[in-house]
Amino acid sequence: MGHDSDCIFCKIIEKTVPAKLVYEDEHAIAFEDINPQAPIHILIVPKKHIRDIHSIKHMDRELIGHLFFVAQTLGEKRGLNNSGYRMVINNGRNAGQTVFHIHLHLLSGRAFSWPPG
Ligand code: 5GP
Ligand code: ZN
């Protein structure tokens, strides 16, 4: 499904690199961030290798929307809706993107400041 052999997230999707999975379906996977920035820090990742927001194609719109549906499912499952959570996409180098396979950060379990750093 458009996997990139040099991509760490594609390897996690293919299960050749281990990760603490918290959700998986046909189109997406979610796992705990290896370097958590909050008590809950989950990465929600499409199984299709899409490099960044700029690389999203017209046909990917439903897939990208599905990632937010996964976030909602995880939020409900873990009771995050009352306290709140933050969703982040770092897009491009200046935003701090380090893994070039698009992903949503779901951060929760503490208060976050605004604006972000
Ligand atoms: P970015 O900076 O690209 O928005 O986010 C990449 C995130 O992926 C970082 O928060 C980083 O800690 C996480 N990460 C990088 N490599 C791995 C890995 O091999 N396993 C897991 N679980 N997370 C990773
Ligand atoms: Zn990938």
Side-chain angles (χ1 to χ4, degrees):
M1 200 200 280
H3 286 167
D4 178 335
S5 56
D6 292 329
C7 170
I8 185 70
F9 286 179
C10 283
K11 288 176 182 161
I12 289 172
I13 291 160
E14 289 164 352
K15 313 264 168 55
T16 56
V17 164
K20 290 184 182 163
L21 300 191
V22 297
Y23 178 89
E24 182 168 17
D25 65 26
E26 192 187 340
H27 301 293
I29 194 165
F31 50 87
E32 291 180 11
D33 196 293
I34 206 168
N35 182 24
Q37 301 302 312
I40 295 170
H41 187 172
I42 294 168
L43 302 174
I44 303 171
V45 184
K47 289 191 169 177
K48 179 178 178 182
H49 181 90
I50 299 171
R51 180 183 160 81
D52 53 20
I53 292 176
H54 189 69
S55 308
I56 294 169
K57 300 276 190 273
H58 193 265
M59 65 184 289
D60 299 323
R61 291 173 301 154
E62 195 173 341
L63 173 61
I64 297 300
H66 179 63
L67 302 181
F68 285 89
F69 197 75
V70 173
Q72 183 200 67
T73 303
L74 288 168
E76 278 174 7
K77 200 162 87 180
R78 296 185 171 221
L80 308 180
N81 288 341
N82 290 335
S83 54
Y85 49 89
R86 180 168 286 178
M87 310 290 306
V88 174
I89 299 178
N90 296 319
N91 191 71
R93 255 175 254 285
N94 260 2
Q97 186 176 7
T98 57
V99 176
F100 288 83
H101 180 138
I102 200 167
H103 51 280
L104 291 183
H105 294 258
L106 190 166
L107 299 139
S108 191
R110 67 171 173 86
F112 299 100
S113 58
W114 191 264

